[in-house]
Amino acid sequence: MQLVKWAHDLTESLLADSLPQRWAHSQRVYSQALTLAPALGDDAELLAAAAIAHDVGYAQAAVETGQHMIDGARYLRDVAGADSRLCSIVAFHTSSSWEASELGLDGALGEFEPAEPELVDAITYCDLTSTPTGDLADPAERLSEVLERYGPEHVVFRAVSAARPELMARVTRVQRRRAEAVYATFN
Ligand SMILES: [Fe+2]
C-alpha cells in the first residue's frame, strides 16, 4: 500500500487545509475504490491511489488550464513524478473528455495515454457515488446536482449533459463487474 500512502499524503497536503470539502470528497472516493478491489485484482492499489488523488487539480498549486482533470494529471506527472497509469486515470476521470472538448483542450488531454476503460469506469463510479462533501451519493442524483450547481451557461453543465448517458453506463458496468466478482468468491 506504499503507493496509496504516498497519494494520500500528497493529496492531504494539497487539499485538506485549503479545500476541506474537496478533501472529504476525495476520502469518500477512496473508500468507494476499496469496495471495488475484488473486481480489480492487481489494479486495486492503483485505482485506490488514483481515487484519493483524482481531484488534486483543484489545488492552488496545480491550477493551470482550469480543467481540473488535466491540471491534476500534469501536477502528478511534472511535480510529483507519479506513475503514468495513475496520471492517465486522473486525466480521464468522469467527464474529462467532454470538458476538454468544450474548452478546446483536447491537445492537452492528449498528453496522456488513454487510461484502460475498466479503470475509467471504476474511477467514474467512485466519483459519482460520492457527494461534494464526502457522503455517499446516488449517481443519477449526483449528476443532477452537478447540472443544477453549474447552470446551463457553464462549460461543466454542457459537458456533463453530453456525457451523462456514458457516465451512467460506466456505473452500470462497474456494478455488474463487482456483483460478478463477489459471486465468484462465494462459488
Ligand atoms: Fe471528484
Side-chain angles (χ1 to χ4, degrees):
M1 295 298 268
Q2 254 184 349
L3 178 65
V4 174
K5 182 172 176 8
W6 173 82
H8 176 280
D9 292 352
L10 174 75
T11 307
E12 185 176 33
S13 73
L14 288 165
L15 298 181
D17 291 338
S18 54
L19 297 168
Q21 290 199 340
R22 188 64 60 184
W23 173 232
H25 164 75
S26 302
Q27 289 173 290
R28 174 64 70 181
V29 174
Y30 166 70
S31 71
Q32 287 298 85
L34 297 183
T35 72
L36 301 183
L40 289 170
D42 291 345
D43 284 333
E45 186 183 6
L46 177 66
L47 195 266
I52 196 79
H54 79 288
D55 272 349
V56 294
Y58 284 111
Q60 193 65 47
V63 174
E64 200 180 326
T65 68
Q67 204 274 25
H68 79 274
M69 299 86 160
I70 293 171
D71 290 347
R74 280 181 170 173
Y75 185 91
L76 289 165
R77 179 192 64 192
D78 299 338
V79 180
D83 174 272
S84 65
R85 292 179 73 214
L86 193 152
C87 296
S88 289
I89 298 169
V90 171
F92 288 93
H93 83 259
T94 316
S95 54
S96 181
S97 308
W98 291 267
E99 283 185 40
S101 292
E102 282 282 345
L103 292 163
L105 291 169
D106 289 326
L109 186 58
E111 293 170 15
F112 301 92
E113 284 289 315
E116 292 98 316
E118 277 199 17
L119 296 175
V120 175
D121 286 356
I123 191 77
T124 301
Y125 169 87
C126 297
D127 201 10
L128 294 182
T129 52
S130 308
T131 69
T133 51
D135 293 318
L136 280 174
D138 171 81
E141 285 174 16
R142 169 95 158 93
L143 288 172
S144 299
E145 178 274 321
V146 171
L147 295 176
E148 234 167 76
R149 179 153 41 104
Y150 286 96
E153 303 306 314
H154 199 282
V155 61
V156 171
F157 181 98
R158 293 196 297 274
V160 169
S161 296
R164 183 149 53 168
E166 169 58 16
L167 298 181
M168 290 306 297
R170 290 177 186 175
V171 168
T172 302
R173 286 194 291 269
V174 169
Q175 288 168 330
R176 194 193 63 233
R177 283 184 201 124
R178 184 171 56 181
E180 285 168 358
V182 170
Y183 182 82
T185 49
F186 290 117
N187 287 278

